[in-house]
Amino acid sequence: MVRLATIARFQTGSLYRFVMRDDLSMPKLPTGTVTFLFTDIEGSTRLIHEHGDQYAELLAEHRRRLREVFAHHDGVEVDTQGDSFFVAFARAPDAVRAAADAQEALSGEPFRVRIGIHTGTPLVAAEGYVGADVHVAARVMAAGHGGQVLVSEATQHLARDVADLRDLGEHRLKDLGAPRRLFQLGNGEFPPLRTLYRTNLPIQLSSLIGRETDLREAGELLRRHRLVTLTGPGGSGKTRLGMQLAADAVDDFPDGVFWVPLQAVREPAHVETAIALSVGSDDDLVDYIGNQRLLLLVDNFEQVVEAASTISELLSGTPNTKIIVTSREPLLLDAERRYPVEPLPNEDAAALFTERARAVTPDFEPTPSVSEICKRLDGLPLAIELAAARVALLRTDELLARLERALPLLSTRSRDAPARQQTLRATIEWSYELLKPDEQALFCSLAVFRGSFTLAAAEAVCAADLETLESLVVKNLVRHLANGRLLLLDTIREFAVEKLEASPDSDAVRAAHADYFLSVAVEANLNAGSMRPGGQRLDLALPELDNCRGALAWCLRSGSIDVGLKIAVALEQLWVLEDPNEGVTWFERLLDAPGADQAPLEDRAHAFRSYGSSLHIAGRPQAADEAATRSLTLFEELGDEHGQAVLLHRLSITAMIRGDLRRARELVERSDAIHRNAGDKWGLAQTTGTLGSISRDEGDEQSAMEFFRESADLAQQVGVPWWQGGALAELACVSLDVGLVDDAEEHARASLAISGMLRDRPGRVFGVAILARVAAERGQAERAGRLWATVEEAEYASPLGGWMRHRPAFEARIREHAGPDFERGYAEGKTLTLDEAVAIAQQSA
């Protein structure tokens, strides 16, 4: 007889393991292929209050009935926790029949019981069942509702001939694994399963081992507080614990649970952008979240800890948001509750080693050396995983012997580094030393990437071959993400960077990295001075922005200013659309760097032109004019007519903004003539648009409309949607001025659709404002007030954009309709986000 008891509740979200105790006897546990069955009473806390003292008697009868059913079908009761059962069966059909009979036996009870069944091949160690299959079975049960029996695909394959099992499709369970196909016993109708849905939490290739206490305690902190920071040394498992903590809480956050990875973020100012990208906001972040009940997991915060104020402001402005942060150091905020993530206890560490070792050697059996290995690694999960990956090559006693020799030699020399960080660094270096020479070389070279990277980038920059790269993935030194990209964990990358910097190939690798991402930037077609047919490819540039930043930083350090200027210029429209101030910063650093005046004349000419673009959008017109003038001088020196045409057009815009329409027309007509002679449609799209603006300011509305319509058509032909959207917005404004309200509405809706596609916030504000005026012109005062209030609430990313020139006249015209209806709509509009206002604006009145 084996006597067992759980040391974990059935639904903690961690590995389920069972250990012996003296007060519970039961038959021998099934081994080999085993089917697990879990039960749970739905709403048991409520039932206790409803039935009072009678509950204990009802529960006893409930247990008696279930035990009779399970015994009848040869089920072994592994454990009972409160109102829940865990039962093991040697045969899957017996488990399914037992579930059907159990629901029938309970039909007269006041309880509604959910049952989950899964089949696997767990390890039966001295302490009982060990393995992820028990965990999966509990998760299957937790996804169901009272009265529902859920069955995994593994069980369905073995029991489909004995029961009616309805296919419910694939679902992500809260173990964060890949989606699993689930089946329901019978044809009952139930609400949607309690599985992960509104979340971007990444799929985990392995289950969380241990951490039952951490999940319970940190979960309680999260229920009582709005900001919980998981702190601990690198490699202690903060991120994985945070993932599971967030997954377990998903039912409490109907508006979503979102992972915000900061691994590649180095500037505190970029943290808000990273959060916005994760939750899908291209609006003001606080406005976008508003009163939504969201949970954010902000991961790897230590390198941007100065951005703690961003977290504080987000909590202050969004009353229903909660945040989990993982960081090596606390944020030091009043709202923060810290939870230290300690290394695993040796028992859990040994279970982790065994689980990961079986991933590479399925028949692995633990030996006493496993416990000693885990002790030598201080229970750090990352170190244990790296060690376990070596069982394909070394026996556990050989692993232990290597650790005994390597640890004293490979610890960091830093006297003030925490002991566990020293151990982790030694473990990573030890793992590195076990690599073959070609694996070592590739591992070091991959440190050149910032954030994630593609297979193509690894092949081009590091001469990676598939076999070697796959080996690094298998050995847990490189991660393969769900989106197909690759990643070095931050702790591992830090070590790899040290090796790369000490390598004689460092400069060559970094030069190859810069050249490659220059080619990516050029392919994205974002250089406004040399647009190619086919349109812009922000989808190529945005995922590689961190790598482009890294390449630019290396160009500055190494003095490769010419390459840096080419990269910055190639990303011209990305800076304009995403963050013009970042573009200004890069151009200033590059153009002021030693040796910049020795860069090729052509590179400097384009750089000053692009620098002027960012300055203009950033709201610095005088500096933009100076940069454009400098660029024009350089293009004249080169004899480059196309470059001169581009700069003449830029200078015409600034002249128009100053009100010097005569000078503006002179400059743009010179530019237009050059473009027409060359047949440059993109150049003509710009000059005709500016001629439209000049004609409008001169009072010639008919000519202005013709110019704007031609500009929009040309921009569409060459695939430059942001210019097309702007031209349509200007066409809508002139249409309003001449009383063509229906035409104005049509053009404004088309412009708004384009700006939404491009995440162009100023363009969206412009579109909503035009449609607010359209509503006012039609006497729809409440609608006009609702939309105008949103415009006033918005923060303009581009204070000198096309919209700002129209704002005073728009406000005066719209305010003519002030009254009770307008004020009622205005009050409602103050509560709307820009997204909501755009949706309203796009609807017919």
Side-chain angles (χ1 to χ4, degrees), residues 527-530 569 572 604-614 627-628 631 635 643 646-647 650:
N527 182 346
S530 58
V569 168
E572 178 179 358
R604 286 186 284 135
H606 285 290
F608 276 108
R609 187 206 72 236
S610 300
Y611 177 34
S613 296
S614 289
S631 179
F635 278 119
V646 171
L647 269 300
R650 296 283 178 89

Side-chain angles (χ1 to χ4, degrees), residues 391-473:
V391 300
L393 178 65
L394 300 170
R395 300 191 310 271
T396 53
D397 58 341
E398 293 174 327
L399 281 171
L400 181 59
R402 285 174 178 263
L403 282 174
E404 291 286 358
R405 291 193 300 269
L407 282 173
L409 297 174
L410 300 178
S411 296
T412 178
R413 296 180 179 179
S414 174
R415 291 186 175 89
D416 60 357
R420 292 190 185 99
Q421 287 184 356
Q422 295 177 26
T423 303
L424 179 59
R425 188 190 184 287
T427 304
I428 297 171
E429 186 154 6
W430 160 76
S431 183
Y432 168 80
E433 293 297 338
L434 288 179
L435 297 175
K436 299 174 184 176
D438 58 338
E439 293 174 334
Q440 288 184 342
L442 177 57
F443 172 66
C444 295
S445 297
L446 293 175
V448 73
F449 295 107
R450 285 182 57 172
S452 62
F453 53 94
T454 63
L455 173 61
E459 291 173 329
V461 175
C462 306
D465 65 86
L466 285 175
E467 184 177 352
T468 306
L469 187 56
E470 184 179 10
S471 177
L472 294 179
V473 172

Side-chain angles (χ1 to χ4, degrees), residues 28-91:
K28 183 178 180 181
L29 294 176
T31 60
T33 300
V34 180
T35 298
F36 299 116
L37 180 149
F38 281 84
T39 78
D40 181 56
I41 294 176
E42 184 178 58
S44 56
T45 302
R46 174 182 54 81
L47 291 168
I48 291 172
H49 291 298
E50 288 179 358
H51 294 281
D53 295 340
Q54 190 183 8
Y55 182 81
E57 182 178 337
L58 292 171
L59 182 59
E61 176 61 15
H62 167 80
R63 290 174 174 171
R64 184 191 64 79
R65 293 185 184 184
L66 286 183
R67 283 176 172 138
E68 284 185 359
V69 170
F70 298 148
H72 178 71
H73 291 284
D74 298 323
V76 176
E77 182 181 333
V78 180
D79 194 68
T80 303
Q81 289 281 321
D83 50 37
S84 303
F85 276 86
F86 171 39
V87 185
F89 295 82
R91 299 177 66 251

Side-chain angles (χ1 to χ4, degrees), residues 415-689:
R415 291 186 175 89
D416 60 357
R420 292 190 185 99
Q421 287 184 356
Q422 295 177 26
T423 303
L424 179 59
R425 188 190 184 287
T427 304
I428 297 171
E429 186 154 6
W430 160 76
S431 183
Y432 168 80
E433 293 297 338
L434 288 179
L435 297 175
K436 299 174 184 176
D438 58 338
E439 293 174 334
Q440 288 184 342
L442 177 57
F443 172 66
C444 295
S445 297
L446 293 175
V448 73
F449 295 107
R450 285 182 57 172
S452 62
F453 53 94
T454 63
L455 173 61
E459 291 173 329
V461 175
C462 306
D465 65 86
L466 285 175
E467 184 177 352
T468 306
L469 187 56
E470 184 179 10
S471 177
L472 294 179
V473 172
V474 169
K475 293 172 182 176
N476 293 311
L477 290 170
V478 176
R479 289 206 170 179
H480 185 237
L481 304 179
N483 61 6
R485 293 175 69 87
L486 300 163
L487 178 74
L488 268 69
L489 292 178
D490 193 46
T491 306
I492 294 176
R493 182 178 178 272
E494 288 178 11
F495 174 86
V497 166
E498 291 181 16
K499 293 293 184 183
L500 177 60
E501 294 300 332
S503 167
D505 299 327
S506 177
D507 284 341
V509 171
R510 293 195 180 278
H513 177 269
D515 287 342
Y516 178 80
F517 286 103
L518 169 59
S519 70
V520 171
V522 170
E523 185 180 357
N525 202 20
L526 299 171
N527 182 346
S530 58
M531 292 288 295
R532 303 184 306 277
Q536 297 170 304
R537 294 292 308 276
L538 281 169
D539 59 306
L540 287 180
L542 283 172
E544 307 298 358
L545 183 53
D546 284 313
N547 276 305
C548 289
R549 288 169 175 149
L552 287 168
W554 175 80
C555 288
L556 283 165
R557 292 196 309 271
S558 66
S560 302
I561 304 303
D562 55 336
V563 178
L565 290 173
K566 286 184 172 71
I567 295 172
V569 168
L571 296 174
E572 178 179 358
Q573 292 306 309
L574 184 143
W575 309 130
V576 168
L577 291 172
E578 288 292 308
D579 185 355
N581 288 309
E582 182 177 2
V584 168
T585 299
W586 283 118
F587 281 115
E588 288 179 345
R589 292 176 66 187
L590 288 162
L591 290 168
D592 291 341
D597 56 349
Q598 301 302 312
L601 195 61
E602 183 178 6
D603 291 340
R604 286 186 284 135
H606 285 290
F608 276 108
R609 187 206 72 236
S610 300
Y611 177 34
S613 296
S614 289
L615 286 166
H616 178 73
I617 301 300
R620 296 168 59 184
Q622 182 175 346
D625 206 44
E626 292 171 357
T629 301
R630 183 82 175 271
S631 179
L632 177 60
T633 300
L634 294 172
F635 278 119
E636 287 173 344
E637 189 175 342
L638 284 166
D640 184 336
E641 285 196 337
H642 173 75
Q644 294 173 53
V646 171
L647 269 300
L648 288 167
H649 174 250
R650 296 283 178 89
L651 291 167
S652 74
I653 293 174
T654 55
M656 180 181 64
I657 293 172
R658 291 196 305 269
D660 188 350
L661 299 184
R662 185 190 63 78
R663 176 64 173 165
R665 181 174 288 280
E666 174 191 341
L667 291 170
V668 76
E669 286 180 347
R670 286 171 57 192
S671 175
D672 186 79
I674 296 172
H675 287 313
R676 288 191 185 280
N677 186 54
D680 184 349
K681 288 186 177 181
W682 166 226
L684 289 172
Q686 298 173 80
T687 55
T688 53

Side-chain angles (χ1 to χ4, degrees), residues 349-370:
L352 173 63
F353 187 99
T354 300
E355 184 82 0
R356 300 300 188 259
R358 286 184 171 180
V360 294
T361 305
D363 60 351
F364 174 80
E365 292 294 336
T367 69
S369 297
V370 170

Side-chain angles (χ1 to χ4, degrees), residues 83-143:
D83 50 37
S84 303
F85 276 86
F86 171 39
V87 185
F89 295 82
R91 299 177 66 251
D94 291 340
V96 174
R97 291 189 185 101
D101 289 351
Q103 293 290 28
E104 184 176 347
L106 300 175
S107 60
E109 290 189 353
F111 305 148
R112 287 176 57 81
V113 175
R114 54 183 176 174
I115 298 176
I117 307 174
H118 172 65
T119 303
T121 55
L123 170 68
V124 182
E127 67 269 30
Y129 284 124
V130 176
D133 288 312
V134 184
H135 167 76
V136 171
R139 283 299 187 192
V140 170
M141 181 271 291

Side-chain angles (χ1 to χ4, degrees), residues 216-252:
R216 183 178 68 252
E217 294 176 350
E220 182 59 26
L221 280 178
L222 185 62
R223 283 186 285 274
R224 292 188 286 111
H225 303 282
R226 296 184 59 206
L227 173 61
V228 176
T229 301
L230 305 179
T231 61
S236 61
K238 300 182 295 295
T239 293
R240 188 62 181 88
L241 176 62
M243 293 282 188
Q244 193 61 60
L245 187 62
D248 286 350
V250 73
D251 289 340
D252 297 328

